[in-house]
Each structure stands twice: as C-alpha cells, then as structure tokens.
Amino acid sequence: MKLEDHFKEDFLCFDVEGNNFEELVKNVGDILKGKDLVTESYLKAVLKRETEFPTGLITKSLNIGLPHTDPEHIKEPFVFIVKTKNPIKVKQMGDNQDMEVENFFFLGITQPTEQVELLQIIMNLFMDDKFVMEFKNCANEQECFELLIKKLNLKEVNKK
C-alpha cells in the first residue's frame, strides 16, 4: 500500500455539520462524490456497514470514528479527515456502546488487504500523546495536513 495515495491536502474538512451520523455521512458523501472518489452507492453502504460493524474508537485522549465500506463503493483511495462542529453519537467498535465523536477518518479502501494496515496506522497515531495534542490544537486543515505529513513521514504527497 502506498500511504501517500490516501492523503491529500483537500482531504480534510473542519466544521462539518450534521445533527447525527446519517447527516454527517450524507454531507461527507456529497463532498467525496464531488471529488469523484466514491460511487452513488457509497452513502447507503457506509450506513449499512456502520450498523453491522460500528467504527467508533475510544482512545486514551480522543474519541475517533473510522467509517468505511467495501471497495466496490470506492473509486480512488483516500483518508478524508473531518472535524465536526458538534459531537456526533456513534457506536463503539467491538461492544456497540454509545459514544460521542468529533473527529472522523473516512477511509476509502480500494484493496481489501489494505484495511487492517490502514486502520492500524491510524490507531497508532492516536496512541501517541504528542500527536494527539498537536492534532487537537490544529487551527485549520493546512496545519493538520502538515502534521500528518510529518508524523507519517509521507513523501511525494499530492497537495490536491
């Protein structure tokens, strides 16, 4: 997996609105469709998968969501990072407990074999207290993108 293919400067969006998870996915799905990254079936597929296999993750310092779906709904690989205006209630991965999340990493996985590796990379980021503090304090998308490039040691990243 070439990690650089998943991260681009315009794959971050702060202050995304949504009163619930379905609204958030619709809003993000519209953005992703506008970038030609997903198929028309993406919205329903993410919502269905999240019902069956929740992707909320409680880490030591920050709750995150890792919504994703099957590769047939993805046109190009991506990690689309979203910070919401308000906390969104989701279910926790594994035990289905309710939790609130403001930071989402929508994963566009085109090869099924990449899923575990990509999830592990993101989970490892959020086990790093220094990274989490810097991520929380990012003032804008550009600052967050530069933090990710540095932390993940990405080279030859497409800016857009």
Side-chain angles (χ1 to χ4, degrees):
M1 172 176 65
K2 189 174 177 198
L3 198 55
E4 286 85 353
D5 291 342
H6 291 76
F7 292 90
K8 292 188 173 87
E9 188 173 356
D10 66 342
F11 286 5
L12 292 98
C13 194
F14 285 15
D15 296 323
V16 176
E17 297 201 21
N19 293 316
N20 55 49
F21 185 71
E22 186 171 347
E23 280 183 24
L24 175 66
V25 173
K26 184 196 178 313
N27 292 340
V28 171
D30 287 346
I31 295 168
L32 296 174
K33 279 191 263 181
K35 295 181 181 302
D36 202 31
L37 296 172
V38 298
T39 65
E40 287 296 321
S41 60
Y42 177 79
L43 172 65
K44 285 183 182 176
V46 169
L47 293 173
K48 181 178 187 296
R49 189 181 191 296
E50 193 72 22
T51 301
E52 296 169 359
F53 304 103
T55 60
L57 184 63
I58 295 175
T59 67
K60 188 166 90 173
S61 305
L62 187 72
N63 293 347
I64 60 174
L66 301 165
H68 56 282
T69 189
D70 298 321
E72 63 261 24
H73 308 286
I74 309 299
K75 293 181 178 181
E76 298 290 332
F78 62 85
V79 174
F80 194 82
I81 301 164
V82 170
K83 289 190 176 199
T84 60
K85 282 191 175 186
N86 303 302
I88 304 284
K89 188 184 283 188
V90 298
K91 299 285 186 187
Q92 183 176 329
M93 189 184 301
D95 66 8
N96 291 350
Q97 296 298 310
D98 286 336
M99 61 182 284
E100 289 191 334
V101 175
E102 294 179 65
N103 299 279
F104 291 86
F105 287 69
F106 284 79
L107 308 179
I109 300 166
T110 56
Q111 298 296 320
T113 55
E114 296 176 351
Q115 180 176 322
V116 172
E117 182 181 358
L118 192 54
L119 287 170
Q120 190 64 51
I121 288 167
I122 293 169
M123 288 191 291
N124 285 342
L125 282 176
F126 286 92
M127 296 171 96
D128 178 340
D129 292 335
K130 183 176 186 279
F131 170 81
V132 171
M133 187 58 65
E134 291 177 35
F135 181 81
K136 283 176 157 179
N137 292 328
C138 285
N140 55 49
E141 291 92 337
Q142 175 67 36
E143 198 175 299
C144 187
F145 181 68
E146 289 171 7
L147 172 65
L148 287 163
I149 288 174
K150 182 177 134 190
K151 180 64 183 169
L152 294 172
N153 197 26
L154 300 177
K155 295 173 177 40
E156 299 176 24
V157 175
N158 251 332
K159 291 280 184 177
K160 302 238 178 210

